[in-house]
Amino acid sequence: TSIHLFKGEVAIEPAETKALLNWICSSEPITQDEDKVILLSGTAGQGKTVVLQNLLEELKKNGQHPVYALKADQLDFGQINGDDFIMQYVDEFSTLSEKGLFPVLIIDQIDALSKSLSADRKPISLLDSLLSAISTVEKARIIVSCRPYDLDFDPLLSKYKYKKKLGLTN
């Protein structure tokens, strides 16, 4: 178990961080686009963001995987041109993949854009399109965090509950 600082306090690295790191670093080729997405699921306060922060730290130390992290509730969707946004990521991920690298996309708190919290469906549709586009890149890995409630009741997010899932428990 590794010890990390989180907001100035000691935090023990959750086993989920290690599981995600092992999945990302696996030399096993992923041939199905849908298998390139793993869902980190847990209720509010269970530590999804902490797991992802620990994962980012480990990936930075390791230096083997270019990683792009988006916090869904902090993106300014009014300033984003959807097609350009998606193409920038696809181009970048494709270039990295062609160089033999395994780029990683992390989207934290996608549930903040769910139907239960927002009437504007454009932001969540844009991120869903981004996930679909990135999953076609050969060596890409994608991690999305979401609460179980939104997986069950948001029509766009519900398709992700059938993806590979890593659940947090108390």
Side-chain angles (χ1 to χ4, degrees):
T1 302
S2 300
I3 297 179
H4 297 275
L5 291 180
F6 176 69
K7 295 185 179 181
E9 299 176 20
V10 174
I12 297 173
E13 181 179 288
E16 293 82 5
T17 301
K18 184 168 246 158
L20 288 170
L21 192 60
N22 289 340
W23 177 72
I24 290 168
C25 296
S26 170
S27 58
E28 295 282 320
I30 299 177
T31 55
Q32 299 291 326
D33 293 351
E34 62 206 32
D35 293 340
K36 294 177 186 170
V37 178
I38 191 167
L39 183 69
L40 180 63
S41 177
T43 58
Q46 278 193 303
K48 296 178 297 295
T49 298
V50 172
V51 167
L52 295 178
Q53 287 174 329
N54 287 342
L55 179 64
L56 280 168
E57 283 298 314
E58 291 298 322
L59 289 169
K60 277 176 30 181
K61 276 193 255 178
N62 149 323
Q64 301 293 313
H65 301 276
V67 61
Y68 300 81
L70 303 173
K71 201 156 178 68
D73 62 337
Q74 293 182 0
L75 290 172
D76 185 355
F77 289 97
Q79 300 297 316
I80 295 174
N81 175 314
D83 292 337
D84 291 345
F85 178 75
I86 292 170
M87 283 314 299
Q88 277 184 311
Y89 275 93
V90 170
D91 290 347
E92 179 76 8
F93 273 60
S94 296
T95 299
L96 293 167
S97 182
E98 288 166 10
K99 291 179 179 178
L101 298 171
F102 291 81
V104 178
L105 175 64
I106 297 173
I107 298 181
D108 190 21
Q109 295 186 328
I110 199 168
D111 47 52
L113 307 175
S114 74
K115 190 174 185 176
S116 66
L117 297 174
S118 174
D120 184 1
R121 303 298 287 163
K122 288 179 189 170
I124 198 163
S125 295
L126 176 63
L127 290 182
D128 181 54
S129 295
L130 176 64
L131 291 169
S132 295
I134 294 296
S135 69
T136 65
V137 176
E138 183 183 355
K139 296 181 180 182
R141 302 285 194 271
I142 302 166
I143 301 164
V144 179
S145 76
C146 188
R147 294 174 301 190
Y149 176 87
D150 298 284
L151 288 174
D152 290 335
F153 296 106
D154 185 281
L156 207 105
L157 292 175
S158 64
K159 69 181 174 186
Y160 292 102
K161 73 180 180 179
Y162 302 109
K163 304 278 186 197
K164 182 174 181 161
K165 193 183 313 184
L166 182 60
L168 293 169
T169 56
N170 283 338

